[in-house]
Amino acid sequence: MSESWDDLRIFLAVARGESLSAAGRVLRMDPATVGRRIARLEQGLGAALFVKSQQGYALSEPGERMLRHAEAAEQALSLAMEAVRGGAEGLSGQVRIGAPDGCANFLLPQVCAAIADENPDLEVQIVALPRVVNLSRREADMAIAVSAPTAGRLMVQKITDYRLHFAASEDYLARNAPIRAVNDLNGHRIAGYIPDMIFDKELDYLGELGLTRVPLASNSVSVQFNWVRQGAGLGIVHDFALPTAPGLRRVLTDVVSLKRSFYLVRHTDDRRHERMNRFAKALVDGMRVELARLEAFCQNV
């Protein structure tokens, strides 16, 4: 048997992507080549690692056992590389963060840019997804979440609270009836989430307020924000996003003020990774400082 780390790397990519094409994109290899390598690995082991179907590649029972050892080997290699590089000179290599798109668009870019400025050999990737990031499939090295997961082998750290309010453009407010109470919202066009695509109960802002009709709906916070910014309607907006749109004004601040939290979610096995620990600390510290700065800025909006 002559399996190498390269074989395990390909196996992990297929296991996480659940298809040859998804693995090929990650590995930058032709899917047919990936398939041949998996077939050769299975032949060498004398066991089928995947159950193949039209839906893709699912791990077989031997594949599940293989996965645990392959991930352990991956972690050992990463730790060895960290030890060789040394940890005092600065962060290097690639770190991928998954985050809901409000956080990914309005908070993470400047925080991660500051970390990258201090660590020129570091590559930071932000994956903005309107759903929960799957860390077990290694979609990211760590994730920002709006509720703390309770299942899986994960480390969860609360980062900070943040606030949201109704907001509308000055132009929209000048053209439409005054908004002095929640009941006044019935006569206005509201932007919000597509109700059946809300992936976390913490994001059901309008449902919490008893507003079931959403004339302008999207699964993207950025789309909702741009509708509001362009005067198409009003909607629930993150306070930390308001400084990017000077023409927006908060409304009903004495009546509707929502508080939510951000959590950092990581693989439990990563607790021994000095590089990931250092990056996580810089990320959490930076998010706390930047969010406080942005929310203080918009108090008079």
Side-chain angles (χ1 to χ4, degrees), residues 97-136:
I97 311 161
D101 68 335
C103 177
N105 277 282
F106 301 110
L107 191 57
L108 285 185
Q110 59 269 37
V111 172
C112 291
I115 297 172
D117 284 344
E118 296 179 358
N119 301 275
D121 294 326
L122 182 67
E123 297 178 19
V124 181
Q125 298 180 348
I126 299 174
V127 180
L129 292 174
R131 60 174 174 81
V132 176
V133 175
N134 191 330
L135 290 182
S136 64

Side-chain angles (χ1 to χ4, degrees), residues 266-284:
R266 299 173 58 197
H267 302 277
T268 300
D269 293 341
D270 284 352
R271 68 172 69 248
R272 292 190 295 162
H273 285 241
E274 181 187 0
R275 182 175 71 98
M276 287 297 183
N277 289 336
R278 290 170 59 202
F279 180 87
K281 183 179 187 309
L283 181 67
V284 169

Side-chain angles (χ1 to χ4, degrees), residues 146 158 160-165 202 205 208 256-262 295:
V146 293
K158 182 177 177 179
T160 188
D161 295 326
Y162 62 95
R163 293 194 175 276
L164 310 97
H165 291 87
E202 296 294 336
Y205 315 126
E208 182 176 317
V256 179
S257 180
L258 304 178
K259 183 173 77 171
R260 296 294 188 269
S261 304
F262 283 132
E295 288 197 341

Side-chain angles (χ1 to χ4, degrees), residues 172-186:
Y172 178 87
L173 293 172
R175 289 186 287 108
N176 291 274
I179 306 170
R180 300 188 180 93
V182 173
N183 288 340
D184 293 335
L185 295 173
N186 293 325

Side-chain angles (χ1 to χ4, degrees), residues 20-228:
L20 299 181
S21 57
R25 287 192 295 271
V26 172
L27 298 167
R28 297 182 181 179
M29 293 173 62
D30 182 77
T33 302
V34 176
R36 286 194 295 271
R37 294 291 298 272
I38 290 296
R40 190 177 73 182
L41 177 61
E42 290 179 324
Q43 184 177 12
L45 292 170
L49 300 174
F50 297 95
V51 177
K52 293 93 170 175
S53 71
Q54 291 183 340
Q55 285 70 45
Y57 277 50
L59 285 169
S60 64
E61 188 175 336
E64 292 281 3
R65 294 196 297 270
M66 179 82 162
L67 179 65
R68 294 193 294 271
H69 295 290
E71 288 184 332
E74 180 184 49
Q75 183 186 32
L77 179 61
S78 177
L79 289 170
M81 293 176 70
E82 283 187 26
V84 171
R85 289 192 187 110
E89 296 80 5
L91 296 169
S92 61
Q94 184 186 98
V95 179
R96 178 177 292 182
I97 311 161
D101 68 335
C103 177
N105 277 282
F106 301 110
L107 191 57
L108 285 185
Q110 59 269 37
V111 172
C112 291
I115 297 172
D117 284 344
E118 296 179 358
N119 301 275
D121 294 326
L122 182 67
E123 297 178 19
V124 181
Q125 298 180 348
I126 299 174
V127 180
L129 292 174
R131 60 174 174 81
V132 176
V133 175
N134 191 330
L135 290 182
S136 64
R137 290 179 57 183
R138 293 284 173 174
E139 289 184 334
D141 297 301
M142 57 186 69
I144 309 297
V146 293
S147 61
T150 56
R153 298 178 64 251
L154 300 169
M155 295 185 290
V156 181
Q157 175 186 4
K158 182 177 177 179
I159 301 173
T160 188
D161 295 326
Y162 62 95
R163 293 194 175 276
L164 310 97
H165 291 87
F166 270 111
S169 70
E170 294 173 342
D171 176 65
Y172 178 87
L173 293 172
R175 289 186 287 108
N176 291 274
I179 306 170
R180 300 188 180 93
V182 173
N183 288 340
D184 293 335
L185 295 173
N186 293 325
H188 288 266
R189 190 161 56 185
I190 295 177
Y193 278 104
I194 298 171
D196 63 353
M197 296 187 73
I198 296 174
F199 63 90
D200 191 299
K201 61 180 177 59
E202 296 294 336
L203 303 179
D204 190 13
Y205 315 126
L206 300 179
E208 182 176 317
L209 298 170
L211 300 170
T212 57
R213 185 171 178 270
V214 189
L216 298 174
S218 174
N219 66 332
S220 166
V221 167
S222 298
V223 173
Q224 297 170 35
F225 183 80
N226 279 308
W227 265 327
V228 174

